[in-house]
Amino acid sequence: MSSGDVRLVRILLVGDPQCGKTSIILALVGEEFPLSVPPRAEEITIPGDVTPEKVPTHIVDFSSQEQDETTLSEEIVKANVVCVMYDVTFEGAFDRVVSYWLPLIRNSTAGGLPKPVILAGNKCDLPYPVETQAQRVQELLNKFTEIETGLESSAKDMHNVSELFYFAQKAVLHPTAPLYAPTSKQLKPDCAEALKRVFKICDVDNDGILNDQELNDFQIRCFDAPLQPNALTDVKNIVMRNTETGVERDGITVEGFLFLNKLFIQRGRHETTWKVLRKFGYSNSLTLTDQYLQPMFSFQPGSSVELSKTGYQFLTDLFNKHDKDGDQALSPLEQEDMFSVCPDFMWDDQLVSVTVETNNKGWITMNGFLAYWSLQTSVDYTYTAQFLAWVGYPLTW
């Protein structure tokens, strides 16, 4: 799912009277500067088939002439992202953003997730103090972490009109807030844990390093294209220049993998990290989606569900990956390693020991492992599906 759990993007434009937000909306729709501007633009729907992410987008205008503050707060709550616009030529406009608009948005969403904000200085076709403005915007970006980006715009010369709505949609579909903490300049804990799970799954030989083949397989799985040899070299060089332990034995370590994703985000390419996370089942809240964990199968009443040949092969490879000593049994430490990508152990050792084959130490064998999941599938296939999802089966449902 390319857009996580988002089915619709609702963009709300707010700002002081005469800041030009209605003109921006009409300029987007008419592809030219509007000669006649009403107090408020009608709600506009952009069909999903004309957007890059294939997600419908609603654009909502707010007018203090026609609506009150209660309605404004309600619209803020309903919106997925708020574009705060101000007139760069009006000296007090920026102060209003700081003293009124941003606190209002925070107060309207108190107790919930922060509402992403796009800051737009409009009427940049007219003279204004550029350097002072840029400095103040940067200070605001550092202070208010919900601001995804700041840009200048002009409906009159069509400057950044479509870009404004592109960044607004991006802030919803590829939000920065769940991934990165601007103040500490570090990945957020949930993001780091999710990426560690991805790394662990892609580390096929379980040696703590992504070698060239594993990196190439990861690239194909996430981006449908192989890595070029020179690109591999460039990636390793970047990691080596910026980390002490990011590259070992000519492969990328988990530290290097986390650094690369942090670098993507810092360079404004957080959609790259989101594409990776969504390939491995994550929603915008960085939890695995219900669709990923509990796929719906269609079969006739009275039918049974069995593992396919591909499923058996995946489980065989998974067993061998974690059977580090090659004794054809999973020790407690090896089991712990296997379940480290899951929320908890997904079986009861005592039940396993009396249900399927184990060795003389009570450790599950290869035959017992395959038999356990075969039995589990026939009893409750949804549990097997959850296990396969957590350990990284390349889902196609």
Side-chain angles (χ1 to χ4, degrees), residues 175-378:
T176 305
L179 305 181
Y180 184 72
T183 50
S184 65
K185 295 185 166 68
Q186 298 297 325
L187 297 174
K188 288 191 173 178
D190 286 348
C191 175
E193 286 304 308
L195 290 170
K196 287 176 184 177
R197 170 178 168 263
V198 172
F199 180 94
K200 183 76 173 175
I201 289 169
C202 295
D203 181 16
V204 176
D205 58 13
N206 206 20
D207 65 349
I209 291 171
L210 295 184
N211 58 39
D212 287 359
Q213 183 60 56
E214 290 165 343
L215 283 168
N216 197 57
D217 291 343
F218 163 80
Q219 180 76 10
I220 293 171
R221 179 168 179 172
C222 293
F223 305 103
D224 301 316
L227 276 169
Q228 298 302 315
N230 60 329
L232 269 172
T233 302
D234 291 344
V235 165
K236 292 175 189 176
N237 287 337
I238 290 171
V239 174
M240 283 190 291
R241 285 198 300 269
N242 291 276
T243 67
E244 293 184 1
T245 58
V247 176
E248 292 181 5
R249 302 196 304 275
D250 199 37
I252 301 292
T253 65
V254 67
E255 289 80 9
F257 187 69
L258 294 177
F259 165 76
L260 283 172
N261 281 279
K262 182 174 72 172
L263 187 64
F264 287 138
I265 296 165
Q266 289 174 336
R267 292 182 175 179
R269 294 173 54 195
H270 36 289
E271 66 270 17
T272 302
T273 296
W274 273 120
K275 192 160 189 177
V276 171
L277 291 170
R278 285 174 181 146
K279 279 290 183 178
F280 287 84
Y282 289 97
S283 68
N284 278 8
S285 60
L286 290 179
T287 56
L288 295 192
T289 65
D290 291 341
Q291 180 185 354
Y292 187 83
L293 287 174
Q294 298 176 333
M296 297 299 295
F297 295 112
S298 177
F299 49 84
Q300 296 296 322
S303 301
S304 61
V305 180
E306 299 177 354
L307 285 166
S308 67
K309 182 178 179 181
T310 305
Y312 275 114
Q313 186 59 55
F314 176 83
L315 290 171
T316 300
D317 293 340
L318 181 70
F319 184 97
N320 288 328
K321 172 179 179 176
H322 294 283
D323 180 21
K324 291 185 176 181
D325 56 12
D327 65 350
Q328 289 296 291
L330 294 181
S331 70
L333 284 177
E334 289 168 342
Q335 289 185 44
E336 184 177 347
D337 185 42
M338 179 177 67
F339 289 124
S340 65
V341 295
C342 304
D344 48 40
F345 266 52
M346 298 193 71
W347 65 36
D348 184 311
D349 277 335
Q350 290 186 340
L351 179 62
V352 166
S353 65
V354 298
T355 306
V356 296
E357 180 183 288
T358 58
N359 67 6
N360 56 9
K361 297 179 181 178
W363 301 349
I364 194 168
T365 63
M366 168 74 82
N367 288 337
F369 184 72
L370 296 177
Y372 176 84
W373 288 111
S374 177
L375 176 63
Q376 185 64 58
T377 303
S378 65

Side-chain angles (χ1 to χ4, degrees), residues 30-170:
E31 299 183 346
E32 62 181 359
F33 182 66
L35 298 179
S36 177
V37 181
R40 182 169 66 96
E42 294 295 325
E43 183 172 325
I44 293 165
T45 300
I46 301 175
D49 57 5
V50 299
T51 64
E53 295 283 348
K54 307 302 180 188
V55 177
T57 300
H58 289 184
I59 300 173
V60 181
D61 192 10
F62 175 80
S63 170
S64 58
Q65 297 179 43
E66 297 186 352
Q67 298 164 292
D68 58 23
E69 194 164 295
T70 300
T71 303
L72 172 58
S73 295
E74 291 172 352
E75 287 292 351
I76 290 171
V77 171
K78 286 161 54 178
N80 299 111
V81 56
V82 181
C83 296
V84 178
M85 303 197 68
Y86 64 97
D87 182 348
V88 293
T89 68
F90 177 54
E91 186 175 344
F94 197 85
D95 292 333
R96 280 275 296 170
V97 171
V98 179
S99 65
Y100 177 74
W101 288 109
L102 292 174
L104 175 66
I105 294 168
R106 280 189 171 182
N107 291 336
S108 298
T109 56
L113 292 173
K115 192 75 64 175
V117 170
I118 305 296
L119 188 62
N122 199 30
K123 302 186 181 180
C124 68
D125 56 288
L126 300 173
Y128 70 100
V130 178
E131 292 185 5
T132 303
Q133 188 70 27
Q135 182 179 352
R136 296 187 75 182
V137 168
Q138 187 57 53
E139 291 172 355
L140 208 57
L141 288 170
N142 294 334
K143 182 178 180 181
F144 290 84
T145 56
E146 62 265 41
I147 302 177
E148 290 278 333
T149 191
L151 73 162
E152 297 172 346
S153 60
S154 168
K156 189 169 185 179
D157 62 11
M158 299 297 292
H159 179 65
N160 278 344
V161 170
S162 60
E163 286 81 358
L164 170 62
F165 296 97
Y166 166 76
F167 282 120
Q169 188 183 64
K170 184 178 176 181

